[in-house]
Amino acid sequence: MPIITLTTDFGEKDHYAGAIKGAIYSEFPDAKIVDISHSVSPFNSAEAAYIIQNAYSSFPKGSIHVIGIDSEINPENQHIALELDDHYFICANNGIMSMITNEIAPSKIVEINIHNKIETSFPVLDIFVKVACHIARGGTLEVIGKTIDKIKPIKNLVPYINDEQTQIIGSIIYIDNYGNVVTNIKKNFFEKIQKGREYEVSARNYKFKKIHNKYSDIVNFEIPEDKRNDEGRGLVVFNSSDYIEIAIYKSNNQSVGSASNLMGLYLRDTVTINFLN
């Protein structure tokens, strides 16, 4: 039986997430529902895109991913369903899927057109649930939509490279639960431009000359533990999703602080990499 995942900006306080689950079970009692996150920043498509890109592939093939971010339908924000990498995605056509489709081409995209049969002010509940349950029962995308060939991109998703290829200008697309800030610069993209050159990573007034492969790379384990003072040190790392991330070692907003609050780094802020030779 296919899994149906939920990713929204609804939070946990209100009834929205619970109502969606109830509607799925009412329509498809054998459903298996998994929450990916209900804590996406409100209307933040880039943040949702990052979460979905890094979560969906851990699920079995055939899983159905409902993404409830900025989903109110209007002439510039239609609803779509995609088949991609043997998974299904249901969301608004607002750029959420462009991070994944930049790397993997969808095998099918449809613009959902069942709205004339359903009056709704809560499309995730009334439209996305019906589409998800239709797919879970073995239904095809063509029944619920018309085929289209492209989707909207998210602006500034791809880092900028200057003509001389001596500089990459990226931006912060996600801040995680630890306050680490994730850029839109992936490891393979960086290495393709770097070509072995030395570099300097700059964010506001902070500069770093090395990107680590894991957080503990900054620790000198030959020094006795009580003399290290590593907690609270800033670093740059290729995170588990292979994005360049600026972090604080063992960050904690209640004690040593985090990259976001200590360095004043927020969503959409610029991060620059200058190549030095």
Side-chain angles (χ1 to χ4, degrees):
M1 197 65 63
I3 291 171
I4 299 175
T5 78
L6 303 177
T7 303
T8 76
D9 58 3
F10 296 155
E12 301 293 344
K13 178 180 179 180
D14 300 314
H15 65 280
Y16 305 120
I20 292 166
K21 293 177 188 179
I24 293 171
Y25 285 128
S26 294
E27 183 144 343
F28 193 58
D30 294 330
K32 297 178 181 178
I33 303 173
V34 177
D35 297 300
I36 291 179
S37 176
H38 295 294
S39 299
V40 178
S41 300
F43 304 101
N44 194 320
S45 297
E47 190 173 294
Y50 178 81
I51 291 170
I52 287 293
Q53 183 189 43
N54 293 299
Y56 89 88
S57 59
S58 295
F59 288 88
K61 300 291 187 181
S63 294
I64 302 158
H65 307 282
V66 173
I67 311 168
I69 311 292
D70 189 22
S71 56
E72 183 176 278
I73 194 165
N74 61 54
E76 296 179 350
N77 197 39
Q78 301 299 309
H79 296 153
I80 55 174
L82 301 84
E83 183 179 354
L84 181 153
D85 197 20
D86 295 322
H87 290 250
Y88 295 91
F89 301 84
I90 305 160
C91 59
N93 190 9
N94 54 16
I96 284 175
M97 290 302 300
S98 61
M99 187 177 287
I100 302 175
T101 58
N102 273 348
E103 297 186 350
I104 304 173
S107 53
K108 192 174 297 180
I109 313 170
V110 300
E111 186 175 285
I112 298 168
N113 60 9
I114 62 173
H115 303 82
N116 58 344
K117 302 174 185 176
I118 302 168
E119 290 187 12
T120 180
S121 59
F122 191 176
V124 180
L125 178 74
D126 298 318
I127 303 296
F128 292 7
V129 164
K130 288 194 178 300
V131 172
C133 292
H134 166 77
I135 296 169
R137 286 191 292 264
T140 63
L141 296 187
E142 290 85 355
V143 172
I144 49 87
K146 62 178 181 179
T147 302
I148 58 176
D149 7 33
K150 59 183 180 179
I151 60 174
K152 288 183 183 177
I154 294 178
K155 293 180 180 178
N156 302 321
L157 182 66
V158 179
Y160 167 81
I161 311 167
N162 67 354
D163 291 340
E164 296 80 15
Q165 297 208 338
T166 57
Q167 185 180 71
I168 297 174
I169 300 176
S171 58
I172 295 168
I173 58 171
Y174 188 74
I175 300 175
D176 72 10
N177 188 55
Y178 299 94
N180 301 324
V181 298
V182 180
T183 75
N184 60 345
I185 307 170
K186 291 204 79 169
K187 183 178 182 178
N188 56 2
F189 181 91
F190 165 79
E191 291 177 343
K192 181 180 177 181
I193 305 303
Q194 181 202 10
K195 296 177 181 175
R197 293 178 290 178
E198 294 182 357
Y199 55 86
E200 184 175 76
V201 180
S202 301
R204 291 197 181 274
N205 297 321
Y206 297 87
K207 298 183 186 300
F208 304 88
K209 294 187 181 296
K210 185 167 184 178
I211 304 174
H212 300 281
N213 289 309
K214 58 182 187 291
Y215 302 98
S216 61
D217 282 348
I218 67 166
V219 179
N220 184 349
F221 289 99
E222 295 180 1
I223 298 175
E225 187 174 354
D226 60 346
K227 296 180 180 179
R228 290 178 193 161
N229 297 319
D230 292 311
E231 290 188 19
R233 284 178 58 192
L235 70 149
V236 181
V237 65
F238 294 116
N239 69 13
S240 59
S241 302
D242 275 344
Y243 283 86
I244 290 178
E245 175 184 299
I246 300 173
I248 296 293
Y249 184 61
K250 292 195 174 180
S251 60
N252 185 327
N253 283 322
Q254 306 305 314
S255 54
V256 299
S258 69
S260 179
N261 62 27
L262 290 177
M263 300 182 192
L265 298 174
Y266 303 102
L267 291 172
R268 300 183 181 87
D269 280 356
T270 297
V271 174
T272 303
I273 303 174
N274 290 299
F275 297 101
L276 305 179
N277 51 40

